[in-house]
């Protein structure tokens, strides 16, 4: 029997049945994600000899409107890993706050003179994120994102993996989300067809490769922008540049497209 | 003269005939038996230091950290019953996490001190609980300018977040001390534990309210004061643990961190020299 | 019957600021048989003396494997130890599932201490009457933590608790500077020797009453019990009287 004051005078559950708790819901109607609203487009990344390069443009589209032009879709975690978010921006913000609070909590248990050996690395972070994404999918309330996790994994080996709104995960030396999967991956794969090739790739070549992919995406992805962020993760930390502009664009190929400009044929 | 609260001191939340809660006063005794802890509010940051008595030769040196981090920019150290101290730290961490969830911004040190004061007080007014056997020193740094909101996308309006009166100074370093009764005050220099009397008189000599002490100086003074306060338990060995928080332009960039080994060892060396100097003067 | 007025529950402070119930819980630890733990730069070892309630009963399990990378040794109320070890096993498993990483020993010890402290500050609850030695390896190397019923936890280089553990501790203090460089074999021998120090004159460490737990970098935590502990006993105590394989009856 519950003798505490909150149960005084309360009819017994086993005699009258339990209260219908749905009448006491203060949180409003239950919501389930049905579609993303403000979205970011592709994220591309490639592993090289000593680390990973990852890039994403700075645009958040509102359907076909290029609405927010200074959105940073590359977010660092623990100054050691970088996540690139494609998809819904508000879900990206939710995950950013969630991971920030995770980072604050993890910071509590590491001792300072530890050289960061027991920090969460990219592999742990990816595993954790995949649990979160899968759980939300199973609730029919997904976080509408496709995320690339880039950083250093076990024994400081370069780590790159993907996790999406369905909780699907995979890993590869080259990865891209959204349109990048169709337009950038073939370019990346031609240079880096397998793990062995990625172990030979230098940082300069990797950065050049990614910049090339960002250029192609701007040519062909209608929801992209020519300003982007690019990050290089290696043993010396994260080098994040957030206001890169695409260079050496050549739109001459457009002349050959039917219907372009004043052409009629 | 303390009166023995016979009959009125067995239960918590019970008033004695002269209006005292004896269980809280006994809890204060537990604090007085603990190792000395101090906090110093310098003009550009806060230093926390504690005297950790070595109870066994088998303890691992340099492990067993007592000064805890709360969120990223606040540190907390207590004197008295260690597990109670840990429990209060865990509550403080919950408070800052829930503040961050609601306001998307770090919790101001003053608000945390208020919440902890109320929490500790609750334990003095409940017959089914006992008071905390610790005095906690909470020190941290609040941001002076605009900070990015948690999860911020984009840069926001170019005029800034607003909501600040012109000419007024916001943010800076803050230091609070919460007693077992739930009473708390803001301090420039705070001390608790066995050697608190000695520590307090040293802190008063520093004239901290003038706001002239730099963080580096504060670290050296904190080490010296702990060594002075340790004189009360001279026969036991101890380990000095020190942490600091500075502003964005300082050495810790707004984070609560342990004082780097070289600086701490230098401060200890100077502290030992100062003590020897005193001894020579006394002879 | 009462030692004083202030010892009836964990909620009462004495006039000197002590909580007697917690101190009495510590006595329960001293009633348990002795356990020893030591760490070196590469390994962590636990050694325990097991007791049986009667001649024909089994010996109380004193060393428990919690996860692949660490284990605990208990002294005191074994049923309280079971509750805490279950908790630790759950937390460790959760860390592997969520982050794919072995839980850091400092972290699990911290969670234990928070849990144990609650029962020293709430009405109707009593402190856990068991002391634990938590030893193993995590990403930052080997660690040994001591857990007391008060919730106080400390990282140690070597430790002993239980009945007559002061002798074991004296042995450990004498050799404390040697431990860091010890290899696996030497470390186990030290632990067994320390354990022997706490035995009464006529007692011996035998196949039935000794347990050893050992873990090293890239080596899982192994529990040595029964026959598997015999080679170590033989290696440590050269002039053992016969009876390694026979069933020793302890009185």
């Amino acid at each position: 029997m519950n003798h505490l004051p909150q149960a005084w005078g309360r009819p017994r559950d086993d005699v009258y049945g339990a209260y219908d708790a749905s009448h006491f819901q203060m949180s409003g109607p239950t919501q389930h994600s049905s579609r993303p609203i403000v979205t970011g487009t592709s994220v591309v990344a490639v592993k090289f000899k000593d680390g990973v390069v990852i890039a994403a443009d700075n645009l958040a589209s509102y359907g076909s409107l290029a609405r927010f032009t200074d959105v940073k879709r590359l977010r660092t975690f623990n100054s050691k890993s970088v996540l690139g978010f494609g998809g819904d921006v508000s879900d990206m913000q939710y995950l950013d706050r969630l991971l920030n609070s995770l980072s604050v909590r993890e910071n509590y248990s590491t001792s300072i003179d530890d050289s960061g050996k027991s920090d969460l690395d990219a592999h742990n972070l990816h595993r954790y994120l995949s649990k979160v994404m899968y759980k939300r999918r199973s609730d029919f309330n997904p976080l509408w994102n496709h995320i690339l996790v880039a950083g250093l994994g076990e024994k400081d080996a370069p780590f790159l993996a993907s996790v999406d709104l369905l909780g699907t995960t995979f890993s590869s030396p080259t990865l891209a989300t959204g349109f990048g999967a169709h337009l950038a991956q073939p370019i990346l794969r031609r240079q880096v067809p397998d793990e062995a090739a990625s172990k030979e790739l230098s940082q300069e070549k990797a950065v050049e490769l990614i910049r090339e992919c960002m250029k192609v995406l701007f040519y062909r992805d209608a929801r992209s922008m020519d300003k982007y962020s690019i990050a290089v993760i290696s043993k010396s930390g994260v080098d994040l540049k957030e206001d890169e502009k695409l260079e050496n664009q050549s739109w001459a190929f457009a002349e050959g497209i039917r219907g372009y400009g004043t052409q009629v044929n | 003269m303390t009166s023995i609260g016979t009959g009125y001191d067995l239960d918590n939340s019970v008033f004695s005939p002269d209006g005292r809660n004896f269980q809280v006063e006994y809890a204060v005794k537990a604090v007085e038996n603990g190792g000395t802890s101090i906090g110093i509010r310098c003009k550009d940051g806060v230093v926390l230091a504690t005297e950790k008595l070595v109870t066994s030769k088998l303890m691992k040196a340099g492990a067993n950290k007592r000064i805890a981090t709360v969120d990223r920019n606040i540190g907390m150290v207590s004197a008295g019953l260690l597990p109670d101290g840990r429990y209060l730290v865990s509550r403080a961490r919950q408070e800052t996490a829930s503040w961050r969830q609601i306001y998307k911004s770090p919790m101001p040190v003053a608000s945390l001190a208020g919440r902890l004061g109320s929490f500790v007080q609750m334990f003095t007014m409940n017959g089914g609980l006992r008071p905390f056997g610790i005095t906690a020193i909470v020190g941290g740094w609040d941001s002076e300018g605009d900070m990015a909101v948690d999860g911020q996308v984009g840069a926001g309006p170019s005029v800034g977040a607003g909501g600040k009166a012109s000419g007024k100074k916001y943010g800076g370093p803050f230091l609070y001390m919460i007693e077992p009764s739930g009473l708390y005050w803001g301090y420039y220099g705070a001390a608790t534990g066995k050697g608190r009397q000695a520590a307090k008189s040293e802190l008063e000599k520093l004239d901290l309210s003038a706001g002239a002490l730099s963080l580096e100086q504060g670290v050296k003074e904190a080490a010296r004061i702990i060594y002075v306060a340790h004189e009360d338990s001279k026969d036991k060995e101890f380990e000095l643990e020190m942490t600091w928080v500075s502003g964005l332009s300082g050495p810790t960039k707004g984070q609560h961190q342990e004082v780097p080994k070289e600086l701490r060892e230098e401060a200890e060396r100077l502290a030992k020299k100062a003590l020897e100097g005193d001894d020579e003067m006394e002879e | 019957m009462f030692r004083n007025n202030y010892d009836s529950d964990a909620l009462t402070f004495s006039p000197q600021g002590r909580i007697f119930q917690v101190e009495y819980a510590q006595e329960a630890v001293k009633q348990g048989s002795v356990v020893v733990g030591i760490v070196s730069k590469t390994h962590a070892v636990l050694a325990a003396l097991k007791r049986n309630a009667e001649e024909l009963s089994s010996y109380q399990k004193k060393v428990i494997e919690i996860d692949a990378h660490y284990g605990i040794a208990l002294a005191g109320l074994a049923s309280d130890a079971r509750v805490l070890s279950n908790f630790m096993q759950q937390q460790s498993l959760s860390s592997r599932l969520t982050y794919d990483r072995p839980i850091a020993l400092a972290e699990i010890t911290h969670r234990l201490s928070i849990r144990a402290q609650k029962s020293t500050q709430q009405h109707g609850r009593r402190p856990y009457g068991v002391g634990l030695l938590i030893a193993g390896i995590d990403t930052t190397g080997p660690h040994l933590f001591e857990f007391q019923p008060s919730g106080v936890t400390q990282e140690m280089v070597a430790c002993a608790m239980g009945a007559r553990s002061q002798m074991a501790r004296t042995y450990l203090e004498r050799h404390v500077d040697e431990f860091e460089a010890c290899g696996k074999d030497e470390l186990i021998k030290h632990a067994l020797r320390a354990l022997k120090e706490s035995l009464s004159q006529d007692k011996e460490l035998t196949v039935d009453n000794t347990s050893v737990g050992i873990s090293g970098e890239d080596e899982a935590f192994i529990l040595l019990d029964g026959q598997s502990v015999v080679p170590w006993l033989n290696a440590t105590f050269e002039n053992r009287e016969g009876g390694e394989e026979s069933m020793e009856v302890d009185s």
Side-chain angles (χ1 to χ4, degrees):
Chain A
M1 277 236 53
N2 185 6
H3 295 284
L4 291 174
Q6 60 256 35
W8 291 351
R10 180 186 161 132
R12 280 170 56 167
D13 279 353
D14 50 358
V15 173
Y16 294 96
Y19 285 160
D20 181 357
S22 65
H23 295 294
F24 302 135
Q25 286 296 6
M26 297 303 170
S27 50
T30 328
Q31 292 167 316
H32 296 276
S33 297
S34 57
R35 56 192 194 94
I37 309 294
V38 177
T39 57
T41 182
S42 343
V43 184
V44 287
V46 66
K47 283 206 280 202
F48 66 94
K49 193 166 52 179
D50 305 313
V52 192
V53 183
I54 181 171
D57 68 15
N58 290 352
L59 177 67
S61 315
Y62 186 54
S64 61
L65 169 67
R67 188 158 180 199
F68 303 106
T69 54
D70 62 350
V71 171
K72 307 301 188 290
R73 298 193 288 120
L74 294 183
R75 309 239 151 190
T76 47
F77 178 81
N78 263 357
S79 323
K80 291 214 299 207
S81 313
V82 175
L83 299 111
F85 290 83
D88 191 73
V89 170
S90 62
D91 286 344
M92 169 181 86
Q93 287 182 292
Y94 170 78
L95 278 171
D96 186 47
R97 288 177 192 135
L98 186 71
L99 293 175
N100 195 26
S101 72
L102 177 66
S103 169
V104 167
R105 273 201 316 270
E106 284 294 311
N107 188 38
Y108 291 151
S109 55
T110 330
S111 56
I112 308 296
D113 51 325
D114 221 8
S115 74
K117 265 188 280 192
S118 65
D119 272 356
L120 285 179
D121 62 17
H123 170 80
N124 304 131
L125 178 63
H126 175 254
R127 178 67 62 102
Y128 174 75
L129 254 185
S130 71
K131 303 282 174 190
V132 172
M133 300 298 274
Y134 184 71
K135 195 248 176 209
R136 288 289 298 253
R137 161 229 115 121
S138 305
D139 292 338
F140 276 92
N141 186 17
L143 290 161
W144 210 286
N145 292 107
H146 195 153
I147 305 164
L148 293 187
V149 181
L152 300 173
E154 273 162 69
K155 302 202 185 356
D156 280 349
F159 176 90
L160 176 62
S162 147
V163 58
D164 70 3
L165 70 164
L166 298 176
T168 310
T169 58
F170 44 85
S171 182
S172 164
T174 66
L175 283 176
T177 71
F179 262 105
H182 303 281
L183 299 172
Q185 272 284 49
I187 302 175
L188 295 169
R189 282 178 182 158
R190 202 185 315 139
Q191 286 276 43
V192 187
D194 48 31
E195 275 295 331
S198 96
K199 287 206 177 68
E200 304 290 312
L201 193 65
S202 73
Q203 179 172 327
E204 293 75 34
K205 283 225 172 65
V207 171
E208 203 191 297
L209 185 60
I210 292 288
R211 288 196 204 276
E212 183 67 26
C213 289
M214 296 307 288
K215 207 169 14 152
V216 167
L217 283 170
F218 182 57
Y219 289 152
R220 288 295 184 171
D221 181 357
R223 308 281 177 261
S224 64
M225 203 171 83
D226 57 352
K227 282 228 304 296
Y228 65 100
S229 308
I230 182 166
V232 179
I233 306 107
S234 62
K235 276 205 251 302
S236 46
V238 172
D239 176 24
L240 175 62
K241 296 196 183 63
E242 289 183 322
D243 289 302
E244 301 288 281
K245 223 168 144 44
L246 280 174
E247 284 164 7
N248 301 330
Q249 296 177 42
S250 164
W251 286 88
F253 73 93
E255 309 274 331
I257 295 178
R258 279 174 57 175
Y260 176 73
T262 55
Q263 287 177 331
V264 286
N265 289 320
Chain B
M1 198 183 88
T2 43
S3 50
I4 300 168
T6 321
Y8 299 102
D9 62 347
L10 292 174
D11 291 314
N12 194 18
S13 83
V14 168
F15 278 118
S16 74
D18 46 347
R20 297 156 69 172
N21 179 347
F22 274 93
Q23 277 294 303
V24 173
E25 301 200 6
Y26 294 164
V28 174
K29 290 270 173 13
V31 175
E32 290 170 6
N33 289 332
T36 314
S37 299
I38 64 166
I40 304 184
R41 175 178 155 177
C42 314
K43 72 166 188 267
D44 49 353
V46 175
V47 183
L48 299 172
T50 182
E51 163 204 26
K52 290 191 296 195
L53 292 168
V54 174
T55 46
S56 160
K57 259 196 280 183
L58 302 173
M59 271 173 66
K60 184 169 173 183
N64 302 309
K65 303 271 179 239
R66 294 261 183 89
I67 309 184
T69 305
V70 176
D71 204 297
R72 292 200 206 270
N73 59 326
I74 303 174
M76 214 164 125
V77 65
S78 51
L81 298 178
L82 282 187
D84 288 8
R86 287 227 188 99
Y87 180 45
L88 193 61
V89 163
S90 120
R91 177 74 192 199
R93 287 172 173 168
Q94 282 168 23
E95 292 281 356
T96 49
S98 92
W99 181 283
R100 255 216 140 107
Q101 262 200 325
I102 298 174
Y103 301 107
K104 310 293 185 254
S105 181
M107 188 172 192
V109 186
S111 308
L112 178 63
R115 293 272 177 99
L116 291 178
S118 304
F119 184 67
V120 169
Q121 186 279 341
M122 181 183 72
F123 285 75
T124 69
M125 212 155 96
N126 191 323
L129 300 168
R130 64 160 174 84
F132 274 86
I134 50 151
T135 294
I137 298 180
V138 178
W141 175 80
D142 289 340
S143 161
E144 282 122 345
D146 278 348
M147 267 188 4
V149 160
D150 277 355
Q152 178 161 310
V153 282
S158 52
V159 294
K164 294 206 159 78
S166 61
K168 216 172 135 186
K169 191 175 167 298
Y170 290 90
F174 289 97
L175 182 69
Y176 290 86
M177 188 160 79
I178 301 136
E179 297 163 21
S181 56
L183 197 60
Y184 71 96
W185 304 103
Y187 292 83
Y188 285 105
T192 176
K194 213 182 296 199
R196 71 193 173 290
Q197 306 287 22
K200 268 191 207 149
S201 40
E202 289 298 318
L203 286 168
E204 279 161 17
K205 287 187 209 152
L206 290 176
D207 190 20
L208 293 165
S209 54
L213 192 69
S214 77
L215 198 51
E216 288 238 357
Q217 249 332 92
V219 168
K220 300 198 174 104
E221 292 294 339
R224 187 184 62 81
I225 293 173
I226 291 284
Y227 270 82
V228 166
H230 180 67
E231 294 288 286
D232 288 345
S233 356
K234 231 202 299 219
D235 48 337
K236 292 217 185 81
E237 284 215 20
F238 82 106
E239 228 180 66
L240 171 67
E241 187 184 336
M242 282 204 294
T243 63
W244 58 354
V245 201
S246 78
L248 277 176
S249 51
T252 79
K253 313 247 183 320
Q255 293 214 5
H256 175 251
Q257 291 170 351
E258 199 174 340
V259 169
K261 197 157 155 242
E262 308 78 45
L263 185 54
R264 175 174 54 82
E265 286 175 348
E266 170 69 11
E268 287 195 74
R269 194 184 58 81
L270 290 169
K272 284 190 194 126
K273 222 170 69 162
L275 270 183
E276 283 160 28
D278 279 350
D279 287 342
E280 282 166 18
M281 270 165 51
E282 275 167 22
E283 280 156 30
Chain C
M1 187 185 136
F2 293 107
R3 214 184 276 186
N4 54 53
N5 283 338
Y6 303 100
D7 65 357
S8 54
D9 61 27
L11 295 184
T12 311
F13 274 109
S14 79
Q16 292 77 39
R18 297 160 65 173
I19 305 175
F20 280 103
Q21 272 295 302
V22 173
E23 298 191 13
Y24 295 170
Q26 246 129 1
E27 292 295 318
V29 177
K30 293 190 194 147
Q31 302 281 340
S33 62
V34 61
V35 293
V36 165
I38 318 178
V39 281
S40 73
K41 216 157 79 170
T42 53
H43 287 80
V45 70
L46 292 167
L49 175 74
K50 297 189 283 187
R51 259 195 216 142
N52 56 351
E54 318 161 0
E55 277 190 28
L56 297 175
S57 77
S58 63
Y59 285 76
Q60 170 60 48
K61 191 173 156 76
K62 297 276 279 183
V63 178
I64 305 174
E65 178 192 333
I66 302 290
D67 197 347
H69 64 296
Y70 76 108
I72 59 172
L74 62 108
L77 293 178
S79 34
D80 283 4
R82 187 176 169 280
V83 167
L84 292 178
S85 75
N86 270 356
F87 170 74
M88 293 172 79
Q89 282 166 339
Q90 266 175 359
Q91 297 287 312
S92 311
L93 196 59
S94 169
S95 173
R96 287 211 188 251
L97 184 63
T98 309
Y99 302 104
D100 190 27
R101 71 169 176 176
I103 194 165
L105 291 182
E107 175 61 25
I108 185 63
T109 308
H110 180 78
R111 291 185 199 178
L112 251 189
S113 130
I114 299 274
R115 191 186 157 96
Q117 190 279 344
K118 285 215 178 83
S119 49
T120 69
Q121 208 177 5
Q122 273 181 27
H123 175 65
R125 298 189 61 171
R126 62 162 175 82
Y128 286 102
V130 66
L132 299 177
L133 291 179
I134 302 148
I137 316 275
D138 62 27
T139 50
T140 56
H143 297 281
L144 171 68
F145 287 89
E146 175 199 24
F147 164 86
Q148 291 285 347
S150 55
V152 168
T153 57
Q154 288 181 336
E155 184 166 3
M156 312 286 278
V157 162
C159 192
M161 53 168 75
R164 302 148 56 94
S165 56
Q166 187 47 54
M167 330 278 219
R169 249 173 285 147
T170 312
Y171 175 94
L172 294 171
E173 281 171 15
R174 252 207 319 266
H175 296 268
V176 72
D177 296 319
E178 300 167 30
F179 294 142
E180 195 179 333
C182 277
K184 173 172 155 182
D185 297 359
E186 265 314 299
L187 208 62
I188 298 183
K189 287 189 189 158
H190 271 302
L192 289 173
R193 284 192 213 111
L195 206 59
K196 182 149 177 21
E197 295 282 315
S198 289
L199 292 177
S200 48
Q201 288 295 66
D202 49 338
K203 291 280 190 51
E204 282 247 347
L205 289 178
T206 69
V207 60
D208 293 315
N209 68 6
T210 315
S211 251
V212 172
I214 176 93
S215 76
E217 276 166 32
D218 300 328
E219 293 168 35
F221 181 88
I222 302 173
L223 176 58
L224 301 168
D225 233 351
Q227 284 302 323
S228 52
V229 85
V230 169
W232 295 102
L233 289 173
N234 289 341
T236 312
F237 307 110
E238 271 99 26
N239 300 323
R240 275 168 61 76
E241 288 165 15
E244 296 110 49
E245 267 106 317
S246 67
M247 288 206 298
E248 274 276 23
V249 175
D250 269 287
S251 46

